[in-house]
Amino acid sequence: MKDSIVLKEHEEVVNRKLGLLLQTGCLLMECSADTTRIMRTLKRTIAFLGLRNENLHLYVNYDILMVNYHDDTHSFTKFQHCKRHIIDMAVISEMSRLSWSCIKENLSLDAYAERLHQLGKKKNRYTPWEVSIGSGFACGGFCVQFGCDWTSFFYASIAAILGFRLKMFLAKKGTNAYAGIGISAFVATMLAWLFTFLSVGPVAHAVPAFLHSATPWHPLLACALFIVPGVPLINFVSDMLDGHIQTGITRALNTLIMVGAMSFGIACAIKICGIDNFVTDLPITPHHNYFEYAIAAAISAMGFSMIYNTPRRLLPVIAVGGIIAVCCRNFVNLGASNGNIGLDQGVIIGSLTGSMLVSLIITRAQHWFHTPHQCISIPSVIPMVPGVLMYRALFAFIEMTGVIGQVTVAMNNLIKASLVILCIALGVALPHIFVHRLLESKRKQRLYDLLCERHRINKEQKLQEK
């Protein structure tokens, strides 16, 4: 009888530990952590829970996590489904700190469960309108990078603010996520089109001169870029490179559907507006000075950081990261062939150089600001994600009428966008991978020291109780 009670208590403890482990992994997956970071955090959590790593098997997928644990006599298996998928850099950062502090502070299972619960219930650090305004100005920053003037910057920003607020409203009402993307892209594009009348329409002569824009059509390129899934795109490439094929493919398909929904909404708006040959006629090569590039990059980086619920203390850091990434990319990309100052090596090499430089700097900065590499590096490089090339490619396929050269234009945009995304992800990942490997022995030693210290404290407490 006594043995059965002890066995039952043992089973309850093991099941609870496995449940906490799955909750930790699901919370990270739901907040868009890459799979390698999830596995790294879970390994520290396993050490905290006192489970034998050699007896534990983890399966991490986009929608479901599974764990199996066996001892000398029993085998335990638990599943947990991911309820949602958002982007929350604050939770990823705090979860990383919790995985260390739970060992250092020798937390009980109850205390760890409570902190985990609080992390899952935390509200957004920004109000809905703050996020909308941030996303709007982020799109305005993109517009400047495509060559618009600062008047069009505000037109693109206003259209994006209202489009993003509509997207949030539809999501709150329970509308299908992809339908909400298509509708918000359609509305944002229509608003950007209406702003063109202030510069080239029949009422332009009655509008004050300061409201006229020399680039009235550029806001149509950038007003819906708040939808472009930059984080899933980078995570997709990172997962594929690290061997997490299934999760990476799922992220890629989800991204493709999102971009497709956005393209469909923009295509409908362009049809209604009656704009011909939108894909090829509107140039996106900028001719600003680097000071303007820097301002636009900082605005875009901070705006997208607000969408990703990044801690406010990191916004200036990410702004600097965005400036470094974009200005380096532009210097390598632009040159004499397009009337700019630079090395004239093209956008693909430029994107690789910019992302690699900022990632290399952040591998050091992450220790200064006590936050994971991903929480600074990804928002910093988001202003380089070629969202306009992605939806131009899909838009070109949608609009095909059999004219010679249309397939070439579509494929050119598609291949260029794919290569740029690959280079951005590689640039972010490679410096971090090499530095992480160099520091891996120190991390293992730190974990070992913390576990030894916890074991010593627990042993002293037991002696005192006796």
Side-chain angles (χ1 to χ4, degrees):
M1 183 66 178
K2 186 178 180 180
D3 290 342
S4 63
I5 294 173
V6 172
L7 180 61
K8 186 176 181 180
E9 289 177 350
H10 171 70
E11 290 176 355
E12 288 176 354
V13 171
V14 172
N15 275 311
R16 189 180 185 197
K17 288 181 176 180
L18 296 181
L20 291 173
L21 184 65
L22 288 178
Q23 288 177 37
T24 302
C26 279
L27 186 58
L28 287 168
M29 182 62 77
E30 289 172 353
C31 293
S32 296
D34 64 90
T35 310
T36 300
R37 170 156 294 280
I38 294 172
M39 296 299 293
R40 192 183 306 142
T41 304
L42 288 179
K43 286 180 181 179
R44 290 196 292 268
T45 307
I46 290 167
F48 158 71
L49 294 172
L51 299 170
R52 288 182 291 181
N53 196 52
E54 63 273 13
N55 291 355
L56 189 142
H57 305 279
L58 271 171
Y59 174 75
V60 177
N61 205 346
Y62 187 72
D63 288 317
I64 193 167
L65 275 73
M66 181 184 76
V67 61
N68 172 266
Y69 184 76
H70 62 89
D71 53 23
D72 296 333
T73 55
H74 296 86
S75 179
F76 306 87
T77 302
K78 290 181 75 73
F79 298 82
Q80 185 156 329
H81 182 72
C82 297
K83 299 176 182 178
R84 58 177 184 170
H85 287 284
I86 59 173
I87 303 172
D88 196 323
M89 295 295 174
V91 170
I92 295 173
S93 178
E94 291 181 27
M95 192 67 248
S96 178
R97 285 200 293 271
L98 178 59
S99 67
W100 287 106
S101 63
C102 63
I103 303 173
K104 186 176 181 180
E105 298 173 20
N106 196 19
L107 295 181
S108 64
L109 292 182
D110 289 335
Y112 182 79
E114 178 61 25
R115 290 201 188 181
L116 207 58
H117 177 74
Q118 293 300 323
L119 272 180
K121 295 295 181 182
K122 274 200 171 182
K123 294 183 178 180
N124 202 308
R125 283 169 162 72
Y126 308 95
T127 66
W129 276 109
E130 283 179 332
V131 177
S132 299
I133 292 170
S135 67
F137 282 112
C139 293
F142 264 116
C143 197
V144 172
Q145 292 185 50
F146 299 151
C148 83
D149 56 24
W150 288 96
T151 304
S152 285
F153 163 85
F154 286 104
Y155 293 155
S157 298
I158 294 169
I161 289 169
L162 297 176
F164 190 86
R165 194 69 187 90
L166 174 62
K167 179 176 177 288
M168 296 179 74
F169 173 78
L170 293 173
K172 189 175 181 180
K173 293 298 180 182
T175 306
N176 178 273
Y178 303 118
I181 287 172
I183 293 169
S184 57
F186 172 81
V187 171
T189 306
M190 290 297 296
L191 290 172
W193 173 67
L194 291 175
F195 279 122
T196 64
F197 287 94
L198 299 177
S199 301
V200 297
V203 298
H205 66 279
V207 175
F210 71 90
L211 293 177
H212 288 184
S213 170
T215 55
W217 300 104
H218 278 71
L220 279 81
L221 289 171
C223 63
L225 290 182
F226 57 83
I227 298 168
V228 172
V231 173
L233 277 171
I234 294 173
N235 282 343
F236 144 64
V237 178
S238 178
D239 284 350
M240 297 294 283
L241 292 174
D242 290 335
H244 306 291
I245 306 299
Q246 284 187 319
T247 306
I249 291 174
T250 305
R251 292 189 201 264
L253 290 175
N254 182 53
T255 298
L256 183 62
I257 297 172
M258 291 174 69
V259 176
M262 180 184 73
S263 302
F264 183 76
I266 294 171
C268 291
I270 295 300
K271 274 293 184 184
I272 293 173
C273 299
I275 301 173
D276 295 327
N277 213 8
F278 176 70
V279 176
T280 56
D281 277 359
L282 201 58
I284 59 172
T285 301
H287 292 87
H288 298 295
N289 59 55
Y290 279 84
F291 179 72
E292 291 177 289
Y293 292 148
I295 293 175
I299 291 172
S300 292
M302 287 193 293
F304 278 105
S305 296
M306 294 172 73
I307 299 176
Y308 305 154
N309 197 29
T310 304
R312 292 178 187 271
R313 67 183 178 87
L314 294 178
L315 292 183
V317 181
I318 291 169
V320 174
I323 291 171
I324 294 171
V326 169
C327 288
C328 178
R329 187 273 309 268
N330 286 355
F331 181 73
V332 176
N333 170 28
L334 304 175
S337 65
N338 43 54
N340 284 281
I341 299 173
L343 301 179
D344 212 0
Q345 296 298 308
V347 67
I348 296 170
I349 300 299
S351 298
L352 177 64
T353 306
S355 58
M356 189 172 289
L357 175 62
V358 76
S359 179
L360 193 60
I361 294 171
I362 291 170
T363 53
R364 181 60 182 169
Q366 65 177 334
H367 303 294
W368 302 339
F369 302 104
H370 305 289
T371 195
H373 184 275
Q374 177 188 21
C375 296
I376 306 177
S377 61
I378 291 184
S380 297
V381 302
I382 286 297
M384 297 196 299
V385 172
V388 67
L389 295 178
M390 293 163 58
Y391 81 67
R392 270 191 163 186
L394 288 174
F395 184 81
F397 284 117
I398 292 171
E399 289 290 293
M400 279 185 185
T401 59
V403 177
I404 296 174
Q406 287 182 329
V407 175
T408 304
V409 170
M411 290 304 297
N412 177 58
N413 286 324
L414 180 62
I415 293 171
K416 188 178 291 185
S418 301
L419 289 174
V420 170
I421 292 166
L422 176 63
C423 287
I424 290 174
L426 282 173
V428 169
L430 289 178
H432 179 57
I433 289 171
F434 288 128
V435 172
H436 176 75
R437 286 179 178 175
L438 292 173
L439 297 176
E440 186 64 23
S441 59
K442 292 183 179 180
R443 291 177 185 270
K444 287 182 178 179
Q445 185 62 45
R446 180 188 174 192
L447 180 60
Y448 177 77
D449 291 341
L450 288 173
L451 290 171
C452 289
E453 180 65 16
R454 186 178 73 163
H455 178 72
R456 184 187 64 79
I457 292 171
N458 289 339
K459 190 175 181 179
E460 288 179 357
Q461 288 176 348
K462 287 180 180 179
L463 290 172
Q464 289 174 0
E465 288 173 1
K466 290 181 179 180

